Amino acid sequence: MIRKLLSLSLLTLLSTSAFAGGYRVAMQGNKQLAMGHTGVAVISNGAESLFFNPAASVYSENKFDISGGVSYLVADTKFQNKTYGWENETRNPGTPFYLYGSYKATDWMTVGLAVYSPYGSKVEWDKDWQGSHLVNNIDLKAIYFQPTVAIKVSKHFSFGGGPIFVNGGVTFNKNLSRSMTDEQGNRTNVTVEAKNVTAWGWTAGYLVNVDDHLRLGLNYRSKIIMNETSGKSKFENVPGFGQSIFKDGTIKAEMPLPAELTVGASYTWNKWLFAFDYNRSFWTAYKALTIDFVDNPAIGTSVNPRNYKDSCTYRLGVQYTMNEQLTLRAGWYYDESPVQKGYFAPETPRNDSRAYTGGLSYKFKNGIGIDLSFSYLHFSDTNSSYDYYMEDGQNVSFGGTYKSAVTSGGIGVSYSF
């Protein structure tokens, strides 16, 4: 039983906002977020292109482009199971940020550094709620560092990319079972903590300027292997009969973050810019999570099936330049969930979603610009369950109706010279 429980905990550590998994609300640039988070074929937005497509950065007209920003998001989830009369809800904040800088070394080469946090979320249900055997709370943080180089082959074609270094950590708590308590009636629980988990990957992008109006872009991010060798597990309120089994100790685990491919197009017409991105995340890399409880031979090695499927995201964005100072933006996207039937867990209560975005930029004459964005992300209501929690040798299902939404506002500062 405990093997399945703790496998689920470590899954939350190594999955994401991400990419999906926990959840990944796309907020890697306020200009691009306002346009539905499109950008793989857009070259007019300065340093933010380091994330969306490094190849675009070499077409900047500026020697230096710097962009930084932060978003404040609020994620709301309501859970209900009418059969048993269960109800619960959770509201959790997040503050993803980004910082980009690029330098045009020559007319044909640009170098840059991108730092961003695709994960920085927190989910906290009421302690000992109906699904506490799956999760009580989780606090996940990860920061990505991405140095890049872009080369302009001609005015029609460029490419760029570089390595990605990830540093992250998580604190996760759940009850050990649906009913276990100590002799005083306190629910037995376990906390899993991992700090400074690191991994490497890479990204590569290509941009084609078909003519002065139409551009085509492609960006690929590799699969990243998250390898945890020194995670810690801490058990609390363990009854006397379990003291010899549920002991604090070290955990090892390895899990891949899936590769993703984005292709898209943009078209400029007078003061208008239209963009479309298609993203494919290769979630089939998540077959199972294997965890080794190094200091607990009674628990041993656990294998927890996930069986995710590849998923797609479709993005649309529009930009209108009113004058040299003011630019308006709007966008929309549809994001498919990678979770298959029977694998829907409350630490990642996210189904297919639709996002509505908007924002603006105001550029002062000294080269400083202020970027504002707003987004509303609505997840389709779903009556789903997690069917692979094992108790007394049998799979026990936990499920109900989940209603989720994420609202965010962001502000950024850009400077070019």
Side-chain angles (χ1 to χ4, degrees):
M1 174 184 69
I2 187 62
R3 297 181 183 182
K4 296 291 183 179
L5 295 175
L6 292 184
S7 295
L8 185 60
S9 332
L10 264 289
L11 168 70
T12 312
L13 160 64
L14 297 176
S15 61
T16 57
S17 121
F19 301 86
Y23 66 89
R24 176 182 180 270
V25 179
M27 294 181 180
Q28 277 68 68
N30 283 298
K31 293 177 182 177
Q32 267 25 86
L33 174 59
M35 292 179 61
H37 217 247
T38 57
V40 74
V42 176
I43 67 172
S44 61
N45 285 325
E48 293 184 9
S49 62
L50 295 178
F51 171 83
F52 293 91
N53 187 348
S57 63
V58 77
Y59 290 101
S60 174
E61 297 178 355
N62 306 304
K63 194 71 172 180
F64 288 92
D65 286 301
I66 301 171
S67 180
V70 63
S71 294
Y72 181 79
L73 67 87
V74 177
D76 293 296
T77 300
K78 294 184 178 180
F79 168 79
Q80 183 181 45
N81 185 307
K82 293 183 179 180
T83 302
Y84 297 105
W86 295 341
E87 290 187 0
N88 212 296
E89 60 183 79
T90 177
R91 166 169 282 194
N92 302 283
T95 53
F97 69 90
Y98 62 90
L99 178 63
Y100 307 125
S102 65
Y103 168 67
K104 196 165 186 179
T106 70
D107 183 61
W108 53 270
M109 183 177 71
T110 297
V111 296
L113 176 65
V115 181
Y116 50 97
S117 59
Y119 311 107
S121 61
K122 182 177 182 181
V123 177
E124 186 168 359
W125 295 91
D126 292 341
K127 187 173 177 59
D128 300 335
W129 73 295
Q130 297 90 345
S132 61
H133 58 291
L134 298 178
V135 60
N136 275 316
N137 59 73
I138 175 176
D139 190 3
L140 175 67
K141 296 179 175 66
I143 300 177
Y144 283 39
F145 301 85
Q146 179 189 306
T148 63
V149 176
I151 303 295
K152 180 169 64 175
V153 179
S154 71
K155 68 177 184 179
H156 294 292
F157 178 72
S158 64
F159 64 92
I164 298 175
F165 175 75
V166 185
N167 185 291
V170 67
T171 301
F172 179 87
N173 176 268
K174 60 180 295 301
N175 288 349
L176 210 54
S177 76
R178 296 186 298 167
S179 58
M180 186 183 295
T181 65
D182 63 11
E183 286 72 14
Q184 287 72 45
N186 301 309
R187 294 287 295 275
T188 307
N189 64 87
V190 60
T191 298
V192 173
E193 184 178 52
K195 296 181 179 180
N196 297 318
V197 181
T198 61
W200 287 90
W202 57 273
T203 183
Y206 304 88
L207 187 73
V208 177
N209 295 307
V210 179
D211 53 35
D212 292 338
H213 303 282
L214 178 63
R215 298 180 177 91
L216 306 177
L218 179 150
N219 191 59
Y220 179 81
R221 288 184 182 84
S222 71
K223 180 173 67 176
I224 297 176
I225 303 297
M226 300 295 290
N227 187 11
E228 172 56 78
T229 60
S230 58
K232 303 297 182 182
S233 60
K234 180 178 178 59
F235 298 88
E236 296 181 318
N237 305 326
V238 178
F241 69 84
Q243 295 285 340
S244 62
I245 300 176
F246 306 123
K247 299 182 296 183
D248 299 350
T250 301
I251 295 174
K252 292 183 178 180
E254 183 179 284
M255 189 176 182
L257 300 179
E260 63 172 13
L261 175 69
T262 303
V263 296
S266 71
Y267 188 84
T268 56
W269 176 68
N270 293 330
K271 294 184 176 183
W272 293 90
L273 169 65
F274 304 93
F276 168 76
D277 284 10
Y278 166 80
N279 173 269
R280 181 74 168 176
S281 295
F282 299 99
W283 278 103
T284 50
Y286 287 97
K287 299 298 184 183
L289 173 67
T290 301
I291 302 173
D292 181 18
F293 298 92
V294 178
D295 301 323
N296 288 276
I299 301 175
T301 300
S302 172
V303 178
N304 183 39
R306 298 313 291 175
N307 293 325
Y308 281 5
K309 62 180 180 180
D310 292 346
S311 63
C312 302
T313 305
Y314 307 88
R315 306 180 186 276
L316 295 171
V318 60
Q319 173 180 286
Y320 179 72
T321 303
M322 293 194 67
N323 50 51
E324 292 183 357
Q325 284 75 45
L326 183 61
T327 303
L328 306 179
R329 301 180 180 91
W332 173 92
Y333 66 81
Y334 175 74
D335 190 8
E336 297 176 347
S337 171
V339 181
Q340 299 200 73
K341 183 178 180 180
Y343 293 92
F344 197 94
E347 90 279 1
T348 61
R350 299 294 182 263
N351 196 27
D352 296 346
S353 62
R354 294 169 176 81
Y356 307 87
T357 70
L360 59 87
S361 292
Y362 188 86
K363 188 171 183 178
F364 298 92
K365 293 183 179 180
N366 59 5
I368 296 177
I370 302 297
D371 310 313
L372 302 176
S373 69
F374 172 82
S375 70
Y376 175 72
L377 185 62
H378 180 264
F379 295 84
S380 301
D381 296 352
T382 181
N383 191 347
S384 300
S385 62
Y386 185 78
D387 300 336
Y388 296 92
Y389 171 81
M390 182 167 287
E391 190 169 273
D392 298 328
Q394 295 183 338
N395 288 333
V396 178
S397 178
F398 175 84
T401 300
Y402 293 87
K403 298 181 179 181
S404 301
V406 177
T407 304
S408 76
I411 183 170
V413 178
S414 58
Y415 183 55
S416 301
F417 61 95

PDB file of all heavy atoms in Angstrom, residues 140-170:
ATOM      1  N   LEU A 140       5.626  23.630  -4.947  1.00  0.00           N
ATOM      2  CA  LEU A 140       6.573  23.258  -6.000  1.00  0.00           C
ATOM      3  C   LEU A 140       7.244  24.498  -6.571  1.00  0.00           C
ATOM      4  O   LEU A 140       6.578  25.480  -6.880  1.00  0.00           O
ATOM      5  CB  LEU A 140       5.834  22.511  -7.118  1.00  0.00           C
ATOM      6  CG  LEU A 140       6.624  22.128  -8.368  1.00  0.00           C
ATOM      7  CD1 LEU A 140       7.667  21.092  -8.027  1.00  0.00           C
ATOM      8  CD2 LEU A 140       5.673  21.599  -9.436  1.00  0.00           C
ATOM      9  N   LYS A 141       8.547  24.456  -6.714  1.00  0.00           N
ATOM     10  CA  LYS A 141       9.305  25.567  -7.289  1.00  0.00           C
ATOM     11  C   LYS A 141      10.344  25.021  -8.264  1.00  0.00           C
ATOM     12  O   LYS A 141      10.961  23.986  -8.003  1.00  0.00           O
ATOM     13  CB  LYS A 141      10.012  26.375  -6.205  1.00  0.00           C
ATOM     14  CG  LYS A 141       9.084  27.083  -5.229  1.00  0.00           C
ATOM     15  CD  LYS A 141       9.872  27.846  -4.183  1.00  0.00           C
ATOM     16  CE  LYS A 141       8.964  28.664  -3.266  1.00  0.00           C
ATOM     17  NZ  LYS A 141       8.100  27.794  -2.442  1.00  0.00           N
ATOM     18  N   ALA A 142      10.525  25.722  -9.373  1.00  0.00           N
ATOM     19  CA  ALA A 142      11.565  25.352 -10.333  1.00  0.00           C
ATOM     20  C   ALA A 142      11.972  26.584 -11.116  1.00  0.00           C
ATOM     21  O   ALA A 142      11.127  27.403 -11.477  1.00  0.00           O
ATOM     22  CB  ALA A 142      11.085  24.257 -11.278  1.00  0.00           C
ATOM     23  N   ILE A 143      13.254  26.711 -11.386  1.00  0.00           N
ATOM     24  CA  ILE A 143      13.782  27.835 -12.158  1.00  0.00           C
ATOM     25  C   ILE A 143      14.615  27.280 -13.315  1.00  0.00           C
ATOM     26  O   ILE A 143      15.429  26.370 -13.128  1.00  0.00           O
ATOM     27  CB  ILE A 143      14.641  28.767 -11.285  1.00  0.00           C
ATOM     28  CG1 ILE A 143      13.797  29.336 -10.131  1.00  0.00           C
ATOM     29  CG2 ILE A 143      15.205  29.911 -12.118  1.00  0.00           C
ATOM     30  CD1 ILE A 143      14.588  30.201  -9.173  1.00  0.00           C
ATOM     31  N   TYR A 144      14.389  27.825 -14.493  1.00  0.00           N
ATOM     32  CA  TYR A 144      15.107  27.405 -15.692  1.00  0.00           C
ATOM     33  C   TYR A 144      16.121  28.485 -16.083  1.00  0.00           C
ATOM     34  O   TYR A 144      15.801  29.676 -16.082  1.00  0.00           O
ATOM     35  CB  TYR A 144      14.132  27.214 -16.863  1.00  0.00           C
ATOM     36  CG  TYR A 144      13.334  25.932 -16.814  1.00  0.00           C
ATOM     37  CD1 TYR A 144      12.836  25.433 -15.614  1.00  0.00           C
ATOM     38  CD2 TYR A 144      13.052  25.230 -17.976  1.00  0.00           C
ATOM     39  CE1 TYR A 144      12.097  24.271 -15.573  1.00  0.00           C
ATOM     40  CE2 TYR A 144      12.313  24.064 -17.950  1.00  0.00           C
ATOM     41  CZ  TYR A 144      11.828  23.591 -16.735  1.00  0.00           C
ATOM     42  OH  TYR A 144      11.098  22.436 -16.703  1.00  0.00           O
ATOM     43  N   PHE A 145      17.333  28.042 -16.455  1.00  0.00           N
ATOM     44  CA  PHE A 145      18.389  28.923 -16.952  1.00  0.00           C
ATOM     45  C   PHE A 145      18.743  28.468 -18.371  1.00  0.00           C
ATOM     46  O   PHE A 145      19.125  27.315 -18.573  1.00  0.00           O
ATOM     47  CB  PHE A 145      19.626  28.854 -16.058  1.00  0.00           C
ATOM     48  CG  PHE A 145      19.361  29.237 -14.617  1.00  0.00           C
ATOM     49  CD1 PHE A 145      18.896  28.294 -13.713  1.00  0.00           C
ATOM     50  CD2 PHE A 145      19.573  30.541 -14.179  1.00  0.00           C
ATOM     51  CE1 PHE A 145      18.654  28.630 -12.385  1.00  0.00           C
ATOM     52  CE2 PHE A 145      19.331  30.885 -12.864  1.00  0.00           C
ATOM     53  CZ  PHE A 145      18.866  29.936 -11.959  1.00  0.00           C
ATOM     54  N   GLN A 146      18.633  29.385 -19.328  1.00  0.00           N
ATOM     55  CA  GLN A 146      18.794  29.005 -20.735  1.00  0.00           C
ATOM     56  C   GLN A 146      19.675  30.000 -21.486  1.00  0.00           C
ATOM     57  O   GLN A 146      19.204  31.012 -21.986  1.00  0.00           O
ATOM     58  CB  GLN A 146      17.413  28.931 -21.391  1.00  0.00           C
ATOM     59  CG  GLN A 146      17.427  28.573 -22.865  1.00  0.00           C
ATOM     60  CD  GLN A 146      16.051  28.742 -23.472  1.00  0.00           C
ATOM     61  OE1 GLN A 146      15.071  28.198 -22.986  1.00  0.00           O
ATOM     62  NE2 GLN A 146      15.966  29.505 -24.555  1.00  0.00           N
ATOM     63  N   PRO A 147      20.988  29.756 -21.587  1.00  0.00           N
ATOM     64  CA  PRO A 147      21.842  30.576 -22.457  1.00  0.00           C
ATOM     65  C   PRO A 147      21.601  30.213 -23.925  1.00  0.00           C
ATOM     66  O   PRO A 147      21.378  29.040 -24.249  1.00  0.00           O
ATOM     67  CB  PRO A 147      23.256  30.206 -22.016  1.00  0.00           C
ATOM     68  CG  PRO A 147      23.118  28.828 -21.441  1.00  0.00           C
ATOM     69  CD  PRO A 147      21.744  28.733 -20.850  1.00  0.00           C
ATOM     70  N   THR A 148      21.625  31.204 -24.798  1.00  0.00           N
ATOM     71  CA  THR A 148      21.312  30.945 -26.197  1.00  0.00           C
ATOM     72  C   THR A 148      22.266  31.693 -27.133  1.00  0.00           C
ATOM     73  O   THR A 148      22.849  32.718 -26.780  1.00  0.00           O
ATOM     74  CB  THR A 148      19.875  31.380 -26.556  1.00  0.00           C
ATOM     75  OG1 THR A 148      19.749  32.789 -26.380  1.00  0.00           O
ATOM     76  CG2 THR A 148      18.863  30.674 -25.681  1.00  0.00           C
ATOM     77  N   VAL A 149      22.373  31.160 -28.333  1.00  0.00           N
ATOM     78  CA  VAL A 149      23.080  31.802 -29.434  1.00  0.00           C
ATOM     79  C   VAL A 149      22.193  31.703 -30.666  1.00  0.00           C
ATOM     80  O   VAL A 149      21.615  30.636 -30.932  1.00  0.00           O
ATOM     81  CB  VAL A 149      24.442  31.137 -29.717  1.00  0.00           C
ATOM     82  CG1 VAL A 149      25.104  31.779 -30.933  1.00  0.00           C
ATOM     83  CG2 VAL A 149      25.353  31.231 -28.511  1.00  0.00           C
ATOM     84  N   ALA A 150      22.065  32.798 -31.411  1.00  0.00           N
ATOM     85  CA  ALA A 150      21.273  32.800 -32.643  1.00  0.00           C
ATOM     86  C   ALA A 150      22.133  33.278 -33.803  1.00  0.00           C
ATOM     87  O   ALA A 150      22.923  34.223 -33.660  1.00  0.00           O
ATOM     88  CB  ALA A 150      20.046  33.693 -32.491  1.00  0.00           C
ATOM     89  N   ILE A 151      21.986  32.624 -34.956  1.00  0.00           N
ATOM     90  CA  ILE A 151      22.755  32.935 -36.155  1.00  0.00           C
ATOM     91  C   ILE A 151      21.807  33.287 -37.303  1.00  0.00           C
ATOM     92  O   ILE A 151      20.868  32.530 -37.578  1.00  0.00           O
ATOM     93  CB  ILE A 151      23.642  31.747 -36.578  1.00  0.00           C
ATOM     94  CG1 ILE A 151      24.580  31.341 -35.436  1.00  0.00           C
ATOM     95  CG2 ILE A 151      24.424  32.092 -37.841  1.00  0.00           C
ATOM     96  CD1 ILE A 151      25.594  32.389 -35.059  1.00  0.00           C
ATOM     97  N   LYS A 152      22.061  34.415 -37.958  1.00  0.00           N
ATOM     98  CA  LYS A 152      21.289  34.806 -39.150  1.00  0.00           C
ATOM     99  C   LYS A 152      22.048  34.346 -40.388  1.00  0.00           C
ATOM    100  O   LYS A 152      23.128  34.853 -40.696  1.00  0.00           O
ATOM    101  CB  LYS A 152      21.058  36.312 -39.174  1.00  0.00           C
ATOM    102  CG  LYS A 152      20.264  36.773 -40.396  1.00  0.00           C
ATOM    103  CD  LYS A 152      19.812  38.224 -40.275  1.00  0.00           C
ATOM    104  CE  LYS A 152      20.985  39.171 -40.233  1.00  0.00           C
ATOM    105  NZ  LYS A 152      20.531  40.590 -40.234  1.00  0.00           N
ATOM    106  N   VAL A 153      21.492  33.390 -41.086  1.00  0.00           N
ATOM    107  CA  VAL A 153      22.105  32.892 -42.317  1.00  0.00           C
ATOM    108  C   VAL A 153      21.879  33.883 -43.458  1.00  0.00           C
ATOM    109  O   VAL A 153      22.773  34.130 -44.277  1.00  0.00           O
ATOM    110  CB  VAL A 153      21.540  31.507 -42.675  1.00  0.00           C
ATOM    111  CG1 VAL A 153      22.152  30.987 -43.978  1.00  0.00           C
ATOM    112  CG2 VAL A 153      21.793  30.522 -41.545  1.00  0.00           C
ATOM    113  N   SER A 154      20.678  34.428 -43.501  1.00  0.00           N
ATOM    114  CA  SER A 154      20.325  35.439 -44.490  1.00  0.00           C
ATOM    115  C   SER A 154      19.119  36.206 -43.954  1.00  0.00           C
ATOM    116  O   SER A 154      18.639  35.916 -42.851  1.00  0.00           O
ATOM    117  CB  SER A 154      19.974  34.794 -45.838  1.00  0.00           C
ATOM    118  OG  SER A 154      18.733  34.113 -45.746  1.00  0.00           O
ATOM    119  N   LYS A 155      18.633  37.144 -44.733  1.00  0.00           N
ATOM    120  CA  LYS A 155      17.460  37.878 -44.265  1.00  0.00           C
ATOM    121  C   LYS A 155      16.211  37.002 -44.253  1.00  0.00           C
ATOM    122  O   LYS A 155      15.184  37.385 -43.689  1.00  0.00           O
ATOM    123  CB  LYS A 155      17.216  39.107 -45.148  1.00  0.00           C
ATOM    124  CG  LYS A 155      16.778  38.795 -46.573  1.00  0.00           C
ATOM    125  CD  LYS A 155      16.485  40.072 -47.332  1.00  0.00           C
ATOM    126  CE  LYS A 155      15.960  39.771 -48.735  1.00  0.00           C
ATOM    127  NZ  LYS A 155      15.643  41.013 -49.485  1.00  0.00           N
ATOM    128  N   HIS A 156      16.309  35.811 -44.842  1.00  0.00           N
ATOM    129  CA  HIS A 156      15.161  34.914 -44.912  1.00  0.00           C
ATOM    130  C   HIS A 156      15.217  33.761 -43.900  1.00  0.00           C
ATOM    131  O   HIS A 156      14.198  33.106 -43.676  1.00  0.00           O
ATOM    132  CB  HIS A 156      15.030  34.320 -46.318  1.00  0.00           C
ATOM    133  CG  HIS A 156      14.699  35.332 -47.366  1.00  0.00           C
ATOM    134  ND1 HIS A 156      13.497  35.984 -47.426  1.00  0.00           N
ATOM    135  CD2 HIS A 156      15.452  35.817 -48.398  1.00  0.00           C
ATOM    136  CE1 HIS A 156      13.480  36.814 -48.439  1.00  0.00           C
ATOM    137  NE2 HIS A 156      14.668  36.741 -49.057  1.00  0.00           N
ATOM    138  N   PHE A 157      16.397  33.494 -43.303  1.00  0.00           N
ATOM    139  CA  PHE A 157      16.495  32.286 -42.474  1.00  0.00           C
ATOM    140  C   PHE A 157      17.467  32.501 -41.319  1.00  0.00           C
ATOM    141  O   PHE A 157      18.541  33.097 -41.485  1.00  0.00           O
ATOM    142  CB  PHE A 157      16.960  31.097 -43.315  1.00  0.00           C
ATOM    143  CG  PHE A 157      17.139  29.839 -42.525  1.00  0.00           C
ATOM    144  CD1 PHE A 157      16.047  29.135 -42.033  1.00  0.00           C
ATOM    145  CD2 PHE A 157      18.418  29.365 -42.234  1.00  0.00           C
ATOM    146  CE1 PHE A 157      16.224  27.984 -41.277  1.00  0.00           C
ATOM    147  CE2 PHE A 157      18.596  28.215 -41.485  1.00  0.00           C
ATOM    148  CZ  PHE A 157      17.498  27.518 -41.009  1.00  0.00           C
ATOM    149  N   SER A 158      17.091  31.991 -40.144  1.00  0.00           N
ATOM    150  CA  SER A 158      17.970  32.026 -38.976  1.00  0.00           C
ATOM    151  C   SER A 158      17.703  30.809 -38.111  1.00  0.00           C
ATOM    152  O   SER A 158      16.649  30.160 -38.216  1.00  0.00           O
ATOM    153  CB  SER A 158      17.736  33.301 -38.157  1.00  0.00           C
ATOM    154  OG  SER A 158      16.422  33.321 -37.622  1.00  0.00           O
ATOM    155  N   PHE A 159      18.673  30.492 -37.251  1.00  0.00           N
ATOM    156  CA  PHE A 159      18.485  29.410 -36.292  1.00  0.00           C
ATOM    157  C   PHE A 159      19.165  29.803 -34.984  1.00  0.00           C
ATOM    158  O   PHE A 159      20.048  30.667 -34.943  1.00  0.00           O
ATOM    159  CB  PHE A 159      19.057  28.082 -36.822  1.00  0.00           C
ATOM    160  CG  PHE A 159      20.542  28.085 -37.038  1.00  0.00           C
ATOM    161  CD1 PHE A 159      21.420  27.679 -36.036  1.00  0.00           C
ATOM    162  CD2 PHE A 159      21.079  28.501 -38.258  1.00  0.00           C
ATOM    163  CE1 PHE A 159      22.798  27.682 -36.232  1.00  0.00           C
ATOM    164  CE2 PHE A 159      22.453  28.510 -38.476  1.00  0.00           C
ATOM    165  CZ  PHE A 159      23.319  28.101 -37.458  1.00  0.00           C
ATOM    166  N   GLY A 160      18.741  29.166 -33.892  1.00  0.00           N
ATOM    167  CA  GLY A 160      19.315  29.477 -32.590  1.00  0.00           C
ATOM    168  C   GLY A 160      18.945  28.428 -31.570  1.00  0.00           C
ATOM    169  O   GLY A 160      18.074  27.584 -31.798  1.00  0.00           O
ATOM    170  N   GLY A 161      19.617  28.458 -30.426  1.00  0.00           N
ATOM    171  CA  GLY A 161      19.322  27.498 -29.369  1.00  0.00           C
ATOM    172  C   GLY A 161      20.385  27.507 -28.308  1.00  0.00           C
ATOM    173  O   GLY A 161      21.247  28.396 -28.258  1.00  0.00           O
ATOM    174  N   GLY A 162      20.330  26.494 -27.452  1.00  0.00           N
ATOM    175  CA  GLY A 162      21.298  26.388 -26.372  1.00  0.00           C
ATOM    176  C   GLY A 162      20.862  25.381 -25.333  1.00  0.00           C
ATOM    177  O   GLY A 162      19.785  24.773 -25.424  1.00  0.00           O
ATOM    178  N   PRO A 163      21.678  25.190 -24.300  1.00  0.00           N
ATOM    179  CA  PRO A 163      21.343  24.246 -23.232  1.00  0.00           C
ATOM    180  C   PRO A 163      20.320  24.840 -22.262  1.00  0.00           C
ATOM    181  O   PRO A 163      20.139  26.059 -22.195  1.00  0.00           O
ATOM    182  CB  PRO A 163      22.689  24.019 -22.540  1.00  0.00           C
ATOM    183  CG  PRO A 163      23.410  25.321 -22.742  1.00  0.00           C
ATOM    184  CD  PRO A 163      23.012  25.798 -24.116  1.00  0.00           C
ATOM    185  N   ILE A 164      19.654  23.974 -21.522  1.00  0.00           N
ATOM    186  CA  ILE A 164      18.724  24.377 -20.465  1.00  0.00           C
ATOM    187  C   ILE A 164      19.155  23.699 -19.170  1.00  0.00           C
ATOM    188  O   ILE A 164      19.309  22.473 -19.128  1.00  0.00           O
ATOM    189  CB  ILE A 164      17.275  23.977 -20.789  1.00  0.00           C
ATOM    190  CG1 ILE A 164      16.795  24.665 -22.066  1.00  0.00           C
ATOM    191  CG2 ILE A 164      16.351  24.342 -19.627  1.00  0.00           C
ATOM    192  CD1 ILE A 164      15.409  24.216 -22.511  1.00  0.00           C
ATOM    193  N   PHE A 165      19.350  24.486 -18.134  1.00  0.00           N
ATOM    194  CA  PHE A 165      19.662  23.963 -16.807  1.00  0.00           C
ATOM    195  C   PHE A 165      18.484  24.242 -15.883  1.00  0.00           C
ATOM    196  O   PHE A 165      17.977  25.367 -15.826  1.00  0.00           O
ATOM    197  CB  PHE A 165      20.927  24.624 -16.244  1.00  0.00           C
ATOM    198  CG  PHE A 165      21.234  24.225 -14.825  1.00  0.00           C
ATOM    199  CD1 PHE A 165      21.751  22.974 -14.532  1.00  0.00           C
ATOM    200  CD2 PHE A 165      20.984  25.103 -13.780  1.00  0.00           C
ATOM    201  CE1 PHE A 165      22.025  22.605 -13.221  1.00  0.00           C
ATOM    202  CE2 PHE A 165      21.252  24.748 -12.465  1.00  0.00           C
ATOM    203  CZ  PHE A 165      21.779  23.494 -12.189  1.00  0.00           C
ATOM    204  N   VAL A 166      18.030  23.203 -15.191  1.00  0.00           N
ATOM    205  CA  VAL A 166      16.861  23.305 -14.320  1.00  0.00           C
ATOM    206  C   VAL A 166      17.281  23.059 -12.882  1.00  0.00           C
ATOM    207  O   VAL A 166      18.016  22.115 -12.582  1.00  0.00           O
ATOM    208  CB  VAL A 166      15.771  22.282 -14.711  1.00  0.00           C
ATOM    209  CG1 VAL A 166      14.519  22.484 -13.863  1.00  0.00           C
ATOM    210  CG2 VAL A 166      15.438  22.382 -16.190  1.00  0.00           C
ATOM    211  N   ASN A 167      16.793  23.900 -11.978  1.00  0.00           N
ATOM    212  CA  ASN A 167      16.980  23.703 -10.540  1.00  0.00           C
ATOM    213  C   ASN A 167      15.621  23.856  -9.868  1.00  0.00           C
ATOM    214  O   ASN A 167      14.948  24.877 -10.061  1.00  0.00           O
ATOM    215  CB  ASN A 167      17.975  24.720  -9.978  1.00  0.00           C
ATOM    216  CG  ASN A 167      18.283  24.481  -8.504  1.00  0.00           C
ATOM    217  OD1 ASN A 167      17.432  24.678  -7.640  1.00  0.00           O
ATOM    218  ND2 ASN A 167      19.499  24.066  -8.213  1.00  0.00           N
ATOM    219  N   GLY A 168      15.214  22.851  -9.103  1.00  0.00           N
ATOM    220  CA  GLY A 168      13.898  22.905  -8.492  1.00  0.00           C
ATOM    221  C   GLY A 168      13.817  22.136  -7.193  1.00  0.00           C
ATOM    222  O   GLY A 168      14.778  21.484  -6.760  1.00  0.00           O
ATOM    223  N   GLY A 169      12.657  22.221  -6.557  1.00  0.00           N
ATOM    224  CA  GLY A 169      12.434  21.514  -5.307  1.00  0.00           C
ATOM    225  C   GLY A 169      10.954  21.439  -5.001  1.00  0.00           C
ATOM    226  O   GLY A 169      10.128  22.117  -5.632  1.00  0.00           O
ATOM    227  N   VAL A 170      10.609  20.615  -4.028  1.00  0.00           N
ATOM    228  CA  VAL A 170       9.204  20.430  -3.681  1.00  0.00           C
ATOM    229  C   VAL A 170       9.072  20.001  -2.231  1.00  0.00           C
ATOM    230  O   VAL A 170       9.953  19.342  -1.678  1.00  0.00           O
ATOM    231  CB  VAL A 170       8.543  19.360  -4.585  1.00  0.00           C
ATOM    232  CG1 VAL A 170       9.110  17.976  -4.328  1.00  0.00           C
ATOM    233  CG2 VAL A 170       7.029  19.350  -4.399  1.00  0.00           C
TER     234      VAL A 170
END
